[in-house]
Amino acid sequence: LQKKLYDAMSRKLKSLNLRKGAAIITNPVTGEILALVSFPSFNNNTFSAFNTDNSLSASPQDIFDDPVKPLFNRAVSGIYPLGSTIKPFLAMGILEEGLVSPYKKIFAAGAITIANQYNPGVFYTFYDWKAHGLINMIDAIAQSSNVYFYTFGGGYGDIKGLGIDKIKYYLNKFNFGLKTGIDLPGEAAGMIPDPRWKNEVKNEDWYIGDTYNVSIGQGDVAVTPIQLVSAIDYIATGKWHRPYLIKKVMDEGQYKTIETEGIDYNISDKNINIVREGMRQAVARGSAQSLSGILRPVAGKTGTAQFGLDGKSHAWFAGFAPFDNPNLAIVVLIEGGGEGSFAAVPVAKEVLEWYFGNYRL
C-alpha cells in the first residue's frame, strides 16, 4: 500500500509538472498509519556511511540545497488552508448547535453581498463556484456550496450563523489547529484564526468577511494533512484516535502492542450520519464522482484551497471506505495542483481501485 500510494502520487505530480505534496492512509478504527508519503522524496541511502562509491545520483549536499526541501515532511509538518474539506466539520457544528434542519432547503445563488458595517454604501461580494439553487445540508456537502456555509458559518440575512468563536470551538474539537501527537518528530500545530489572533498579529479588526472565509477553509486557516486524515477517521467511525506508526516495541525480549484509546467527541450519531451521507453523495453525484465505480462504496470530499495572490490553489481529497464499514481513510494533497477533483481524486482512485480490487475487504 505504501508503494502504491508513492507511485500514484509520483505519477500525478510528474504529469502536472509539480514536485510537492503529501498523502496518508490510516485505519480509522485504530488510528494506525498504513501508508504515508511526502514529496519530493529522497533516497535514504544517500546518507549511508556505506555509500562510499558515490554511486547515487544525488549527494547529501544536493538534498540539503534543494529549494523544494525534500527533508521537510509535508504530511505532518506542512500547513495549508483546508478549502472545502472543512465543510463536513462545519456541518457537524451547525447541526450540534441546532441552527437548521439538515433537510431544510435554502436558496444558494452564485454569491452573497453584504454592506460595510461602517459605511453602508460600500458592499462586498463573496462568491460561490456556481449557483446551486435550493439545497439542503446533504446537497451543500455533496455539491460543495460556498453560499450555504457562508450563511450558516457567519450568518446572513435573518439566518443566524455559528460565528467565529463556535467555528473555532468545533474545529479545535476535531483537532484542527492542535498537534495530533503522532509518533514522528516536527509535527506542526497549524492554526484556526480568531479576532484576538488577528488583532495581536495583524493589528486589524475582525470582520464578517473573515468569518465567511474561515467557513470555507480559506483566509488564515492552516492545518496539516495528518490533522485532516485523523479528523476523517472520526467521521468514519465516531471516534478520534491518535495516529501512530509504531505498532510494537521490544521491551526485555517481549513485544508490546501500542494501543490508542478512541476519543468520543460527543457529536450525536444522527448528526455524524448526516455528514457521512453528504460525503457519500459527493461521490455518488458530486465533485468526486469518478470514485463511484470502485468495488466498495467510497465517501469523500474534495477541496480547492486558494493560496497566495496569483490565483493558485492546492488540491485536496479526503475520504473513507467502505462506506458501511470503514477500514481505510485517505487524504491526498497536491501543492499547487488546482482543483481537488482534477488533481487529488485521481490519486485516491488509483490507490482505492488497486486496494479493493486486490483485497475486496
Side-chain angles (χ1 to χ4, degrees), residues 255-290:
Y255 282 109
K256 293 185 178 181
T257 300
I258 303 299
E259 296 180 356
T260 61
E261 183 177 350
I263 300 173
D264 186 345
Y265 287 146
N266 297 316
I267 304 294
S268 77
D269 290 342
K270 179 181 178 181
N271 291 339
I272 296 174
N273 287 337
I274 291 293
V275 172
R276 284 166 52 88
E277 182 59 27
M279 294 178 69
R280 175 65 189 139
Q281 291 304 312
V283 173
R285 57 185 173 89
S287 58
Q289 283 187 69
S290 64

Side-chain angles (χ1 to χ4, degrees), residues 5 20 24 51 55 59 62 103 171 215 224 228 238 257 267 269 312 338 357:
L5 184 62
K20 297 184 286 185
I24 309 170
N51 181 33
S55 59
S59 70
D62 291 333
Y103 304 108
L171 292 179
S215 297
T224 62
L228 180 54
T257 300
I267 304 294
D269 290 342
K312 292 184 178 180

